[in-house]
Amino acid sequence: MRVTIVGGGLAGSEAAWQAASRGVPVVLHEMRPVRPTAVHKTDRLAELVCSNSFRGDKLDNAVGLLKEEMRRLGSLVMRAAEASRVPAGAALAVDRELFASIVTREVGDHPLITIVRDEITAIPESSESQPVIVATGPLTSDALSADIARLVGGAHLYFYDAISPIVLAETIDRRKVFRASRWGRSLRSSPGALALQACGVDDGEGDYLNCPLTREEYDCFYDALVSAESATVHDFDKEKFFEGCLPIEVMAHRGRDTLRFGPMKPVGLIDPRTGREPYAAVQLRQDNLAGDHFSLVGFQTQIKWGEQARVLRLIPGLEQAEFVRFGMVHRNTYVNGPTVLAETWQVRARPSLFFAGQMSGVEGYVESAASGLLAGLNAAALASGGRVSAPPRTTAIGALAYYVSHANPAHYEPSNITFGILQPLAGAPRGKKHRNEALSTRALADLESWMADREGARPALVEGRTRT
Ligand SMILES: Cc1cc2nc3c(=O)[nH]c(=O)nc-3n(C[C@H](O)[C@H](O)[C@H](O)COP(=O)(O)OP(=O)(O)OC[C@H]3O[C@@H](n4cnc5c(N)ncnc54)[C@H](O)[C@@H]3O)c2cc1C
C-alpha cells in the first residue's frame, strides 16, 4: 500500500498530507531544485508563483466557502495560510516565504512521507494498492507533458496566462495614494466602516493602497498602455487567455472604459482628500509580511519590461516606483477534464491514476489545493481498500469536481470556483448576499454529512501534527 505523487506544489503537497494523515505511506517526487521551472524561485514545496492572495475569505463568496470546506477537511494548505496571513481586507493573503516554509516543513517532517527530488519523465506505473497522482501544475516538464499527451490524446491542451508586477513600498508616493479597502471591508476595521484616514499613517484601517486617477490621468495612462510594445506579439482574438486573468493591455484593447469596470474600478473607494470616488483607481496589495512589497491588483501584463516601467509610472503615486518583479506571460498546461476525469479526480480510463491541481483543469491556488485534497483522500481510500467518492454538488469542493468532470468538453476552460457551478437552491432567498449565504449554510451541512458517511468507510485518521 503506497501513494506516489508527482509534483510538490499546492495540489501535490495537500494530497500527500491527506493520504499520509490516513495512514497511507506516500512518495512525493518534486523536480526542483534538480530541474527548475521558468517561474518558481525556490526549492520549497507549495511555492506561490505570483499573487500572494488566496482571495475572498467570507462565506458570501464562493472561494471563501471552498476554503472553509477545506479547513473542515483538515487542509494543510489552509492551516499554513492561516499561520502566515498578512492584512488584505476581506481576502486571505499570505507571506509567501513563510507559507511555503510551513508546508515544506510539515510535509518533510511527516513520518509517512518520503520526498524525492527528481524529474519524473513518464507517468509511473499504478495499481489499486499503489495509485499515482500527477500534480505537476501549469509548468509540467516537457518530457512528462509529452507522456500525458500520449495518454489523453488530443484533449491535452495548453494556453497562456499573464502575471502582475510588484513594486517596492518605499518607492510609492504616499502623499498621492490613500489606504482603504473597497466598501471598507477590512478584517481589522468594523464591518461597513469606511476607512477615511489620510494615507502615510499606518492606522490599521484599510488594507490596500489606492492610486486615484482623474479623467485626464486615466486617458493619458490608457493611451500609453494601448500603444506600448508587448514582449510577445499575441493575436488577442486567437490566443486562449483565461478570462479571469486577462493582461491589462488585452482588456484595454476591448474599449477605453473596460479597465474602469475591471481592475481600475473605483466603486466603494472614497478618496479622503476629495470625499468622492475617483474616476479610476489602481489598488496595491501588501505582498509580504514585512510590508515592503506591494503588488498591483489585477494588473497582469505582457508589456516589455522597459515599457512596463514607463507606462505604470504614469499612475499617480507610482511616478518613482521601483519594480521588484515585472508582469509576464506564462504557459499553462492542463488536460480536458470532462474528457479525461471522473468526479473523484481519477482518470476514467485508468482509475488507479489521478490528476490534481492546475493540470487537472482547475484554475487558482485554492482550487488546485482543493483538488489535491480530494485526490489525496481518494487515492488513500483506494490504496487501503476503501471506497472512493466525491462530496455532493451542493458543496463547493463537490461542485468543482463535478464541473471538471462534466462541463462541455468542446468548450472546456479551467474554472475558478463560483456559486454558479453549485447545485441551485430550491426556494432561494431574494438578494445575492442572502442567496449566497444560504448556499454556504447548505454546503457546510452537506459536507458534514458526507464526511460522517465517509468516516465509516475509511481507516481512522492518523493524527497530523499541528506545529506551525
Ligand atoms: C506564472 C504563473 C502565475 C500564476 N499566478 C497565479 C495567481 O496569481 N493566483 C492563482 O491563484 N494562481 C496562479 N497561477 C496558477 C497557479 O500555478 C496554480 O493556481 C497553482 O500553483 C497550481 O498548483 P499546482 O499544485 O497544480 O501546481 P504548482 O504549484 O506549479 O506545482 C507543481 C509542481 O510540480 C513540479 N513538477 C513539474 N513537472 C514535474 C516533473 N516532471 N517531475 C517532478 N515534479 C514536477 C513543479 O516543480 C512544481 O513544484 C499562476 C501560474 C503561473 C504559472
Side-chain angles (χ1 to χ4, degrees), residues 7 9-11 30-32 50-51 120 137 141 163 330 358 364-365 368:
L10 286 152
E30 169 51 55
M31 68 177 184
R32 290 174 293 121
C50 178
S51 156
I120 297 295
S141 69
I163 63 176
H330 69 86
Q358 191 101 357
Y365 298 149
S368 294

Side-chain angles (χ1 to χ4, degrees), residues 3-27:
V3 174
T4 299
I5 299 174
V6 189
L10 286 152
S13 302
E14 183 68 58
W17 180 260
Q18 293 294 332
S21 297
R22 265 99 195 142
V24 178
V26 172
V27 179

Side-chain angles (χ1 to χ4, degrees), residues 168-401:
L168 199 57
E170 66 193 36
T171 64
I172 301 168
D173 186 342
R174 304 293 178 114
R175 292 164 306 177
K176 299 198 173 163
V177 302
F178 61 96
R179 193 179 267 278
S181 288
R182 207 178 290 280
W183 308 117
R185 284 182 61 146
S186 171
L187 286 179
R188 294 177 298 168
S189 59
S190 55
L194 271 183
L196 296 177
Q197 298 291 325
C199 126
V201 182
D202 189 2
D203 48 42
E205 287 190 61
D207 293 329
Y208 292 82
L209 294 180
N210 301 280
C211 308
L213 288 90
T214 61
R215 182 175 195 139
E216 293 69 36
E217 287 163 341
Y218 179 82
D219 283 342
C220 171
F221 171 76
Y222 178 86
D223 291 336
L225 180 63
V226 289
S227 57
E229 197 184 343
S230 282
T232 322
V233 182
H234 284 292
D235 180 332
F236 300 135
D237 292 326
K238 292 204 183 114
E239 285 296 351
K240 292 175 78 178
F241 284 105
F242 173 57
E243 275 292 322
C245 199
L246 284 176
I248 48 167
E249 61 277 16
V250 175
M251 280 186 259
H253 277 284
R254 291 183 172 180
R256 185 166 277 272
D257 281 329
T258 308
L259 289 170
R260 289 209 311 122
F261 291 94
M264 295 180 77
K265 71 174 176 234
V267 290
L269 293 170
I270 305 294
D271 184 340
R273 281 158 309 184
T274 61
R276 290 199 310 266
E277 285 174 1
Y279 185 72
V282 176
Q283 289 203 291
L284 309 177
R285 182 176 55 227
Q286 187 177 326
D287 199 69
N288 60 356
L289 262 188
D292 53 1
H293 291 175
F294 277 77
S295 53
L296 279 72
V297 179
F299 259 57
Q300 311 85 344
T301 178
Q302 58 177 341
I303 296 174
K304 277 193 169 171
W305 291 5
E307 282 280 87
Q308 252 184 71
R310 180 180 68 79
V311 173
L312 296 176
R313 285 184 184 135
L314 294 172
I315 297 169
L318 299 188
E319 293 89 345
Q320 307 295 327
E322 274 181 39
F323 293 88
V324 179
R325 184 191 67 195
F326 284 104
M328 61 181 104
V329 165
H330 69 86
R331 204 182 67 158
N332 189 5
T333 312
Y334 66 100
V335 297
N336 186 308
T339 311
V340 176
L341 295 174
E343 253 166 290
T344 49
W345 307 92
Q346 288 166 289
V347 173
R348 288 175 204 254
R350 186 171 150 189
S352 57
L353 177 65
F354 297 71
F355 283 133
Q358 191 101 357
M359 141 70 49
S360 68
V362 295
E363 174 63 36
Y365 298 149
V366 184
E367 291 82 350
S368 294
S371 78
L373 191 157
L374 207 51
L377 276 182
N378 278 329
L382 195 64
S384 55
R387 178 163 57 89
V388 297
S389 65
R393 285 172 60 203
T394 50
T395 64
I397 195 165
L400 194 63

Side-chain angles (χ1 to χ4, degrees), residues 98-144:
L98 184 57
F99 169 77
S101 303
I102 293 170
V103 175
T104 306
R105 190 188 64 213
E106 293 280 311
V107 172
D109 283 358
H110 199 295
L112 287 178
I113 303 177
T114 307
I115 302 175
V116 183
R117 299 284 184 166
D118 62 356
E119 180 194 353
I120 297 295
T121 52
I123 301 169
E125 292 290 315
S126 59
S127 66
E128 278 207 0
S129 62
Q130 301 200 338
V132 168
I133 301 175
V134 175
T136 43
L139 305 165
T140 298
S141 69
D142 291 344
L144 185 60

